[in-house]
Amino acid sequence: MGEPLRIGMVGAGRISGAYLDTLERLDDVTLTAVTDLDRDRAAAVAARMPGVAVVGSADKLVVRPDVDAVLNLTIPAVHAEVALAALAAGKHVYGEKPLAATRAEADRTLAAAEAGGLRIGCAPDTVLGTGVQTARKAVDDGLIGTPVAATAFMTTAGHERWHPDPEFYYRRGGGPLLDMGPYYLSALVHLLGPVITVTGAGSRPRTEREIGSGPRAGERFAVEVDTHVTGVLRHANGALTTLVMSFDIQAARLPRIEVHGTGASLSLPDPNGFDGTVELHRGTGEWEALPVTAGYVGAGRGTGLADLAESLAAGRPHRASAELARHVLDIMLTLLDSAREGRALPVESCCVRPEPVRH
């Protein structure tokens, strides 16, 4: 193994703590610099990880000679802006989901990376953990027979209940589909392959929300996106997925993801996590827990960045790829287009299923 990939982190908000937990125990990447609009948050990262430089802006960070790749943890609306600045400076990029707010932004980002011979990785990397990968191996090994259908449900009353600054979840680039959909759709593409058509419906029951915790509790803000989205997805292999993403459901007992085949059914753990028990039902008897057979063990936020670093050294494609993220973004935006137009629409993009993580 050569020198670790040197990482500059743009954005030190709530999600950054989970990345730092992982970065602290990785040998193939090292954090060298951090910047945030709130300098105190950046300083807190540097205090936690001695030797990390606090930089005044993203523009200054991306041109630093001690930064090989930029970890982009900004809000969704500026994901593409930060990524393009990093790529222009000759740096690889790994970013939080979604890849960009629009297809055009995503395409510009991919084109810039290709022109510069650079890599772009994108969350979620939860799909590389033992949960989704064990289920994928079960599907690939034929344990459920021919895949027929899947269901995917993410239901909550809304992030304003716990997040002290939740407005971005309800603005351009937000909503339950763009916020949480990447976890579920990335898992479904790993399990069943790309999506070719979608039929969607959406609603926005409330035009305002109220912050429920933190120093701004009680403040109200406008809702600019649909907060309940449902759809049917047709995969290229013929399987149909029923999807519900909602910030409007107080409580539910729905499974996270299930995949049903001609011979058996699979039940997956929360795709917003890396591990958990995968269960198989063969049509008679009880659900049985499958042993862990695939995936990065003990993975956390940032495992996809480590996979990117390893892939650079090995000369192989990285698994949390921009191509997958671009297809997932296209699925979500096409689903929202379908909801507005009231008709089924084709998904114009495609991608290759990333390589599995095998033990």
Side-chain angles (χ1 to χ4, degrees):
M1 195 72 182
E3 292 296 314
L5 194 69
R6 298 169 299 178
I7 306 301
M9 186 166 75
V10 180
R14 193 178 185 97
I15 192 61
S16 67
Y19 278 86
L20 294 175
D21 290 343
T22 304
L23 291 175
E24 285 177 327
R25 54 187 173 83
L26 294 175
D27 295 327
D28 43 8
V29 297
T30 182
L31 188 66
T32 57
V34 61
T35 188
D36 191 275
L37 293 175
D38 183 339
R39 190 175 179 85
D40 289 342
R41 295 198 303 199
V45 172
R48 174 175 173 174
M49 303 185 75
V52 173
V54 175
V55 185
S57 69
D59 288 340
K60 292 179 179 178
L61 182 141
V62 300
V63 298
R64 286 177 64 94
D66 62 348
V67 170
D68 303 313
V70 171
L71 175 58
N72 184 4
L73 303 183
T74 55
I75 62 173
V78 296
H79 281 180
E81 177 185 337
V82 173
L84 287 167
L87 293 166
K91 308 302 168 70
H92 305 291
V93 177
Y94 184 90
E96 255 302 316
K97 48 74 189 170
L99 177 65
T102 68
R103 298 178 185 87
E105 288 178 348
D107 290 343
R108 284 197 296 272
T109 303
L110 266 67
E114 183 177 1
L118 298 165
R119 300 284 189 102
I120 305 177
C122 187
D125 51 4
T126 49
V127 292
L128 306 182
T130 56
V132 170
Q133 290 295 317
T134 293
R136 174 176 173 168
K137 188 173 188 305
V139 172
D140 291 348
D141 288 350
L143 292 188
I144 67 168
T146 301
V148 174
T151 57
F153 301 111
M154 191 294 300
T155 59
T156 177
H159 293 345
E160 73 276 11
R161 288 191 170 188
W162 57 270
H163 199 293
D165 300 295
E167 288 94 333
F168 72 93
Y169 288 114
Y170 298 89
R171 292 175 179 162
R172 173 180 174 265
L177 182 62
L178 287 174
D179 175 43
M180 297 300 293
Y183 298 106
Y184 291 76
L185 292 168
S186 297
L188 288 163
V189 172
H190 268 267
L191 293 163
L192 299 173
V195 173
I196 57 172
T197 61
V198 298
T199 304
S203 66
R204 193 180 315 175
R206 286 177 281 169
T207 58
E208 285 189 336
R209 298 264 176 154
E210 182 176 309
I211 300 175
S213 64
R216 299 174 58 214
E219 287 187 28
R220 300 188 68 81
F221 61 91
V223 175
E224 301 173 3
V225 296
D226 284 349
T227 51
H228 184 97
V229 179
T230 186
V232 176
L233 322 176
R234 182 180 296 276
H235 296 262
N237 68 354
L240 300 176
T241 288
T242 301
L243 179 80
V244 175
M245 301 278 121
S246 183
F247 286 167
D248 290 300
I249 293 179
Q250 302 301 315
R253 294 177 176 175
L254 297 166
R256 298 295 187 172
I257 295 179
E258 290 184 346
V259 182
H260 307 284
T262 54
S265 294
L266 279 174
S267 182
L268 276 70
D270 187 350
N272 193 14
F274 289 84
D275 52 19
T277 301
V278 177
E279 294 183 299
L280 179 74
H281 198 292
R282 302 178 188 273
T284 59
E286 303 294 329
W287 288 94
E288 57 184 276
L290 295 180
V292 171
T293 55
Y296 288 117
V297 177
R301 265 25 178 221
T303 294
L305 180 57
D307 183 80
L308 186 150
E310 292 174 7
S311 75
L312 283 168
R316 64 164 174 83
H318 55 288
R319 294 180 174 93
S321 70
E323 290 74 21
L324 171 60
R326 170 65 173 85
H327 182 56
V328 167
L329 177 66
D330 195 19
I331 295 168
M332 295 188 295
L333 295 179
T334 305
L335 190 60
L336 294 175
D337 290 343
S338 171
R340 283 190 292 270
E341 297 181 24
R343 62 190 180 98
L345 292 174
V347 177
E348 300 293 346
S349 67
C350 193
C351 72
V352 176
R353 290 172 78 201
E355 286 295 313
V357 181
R358 296 290 189 247
H359 289 170

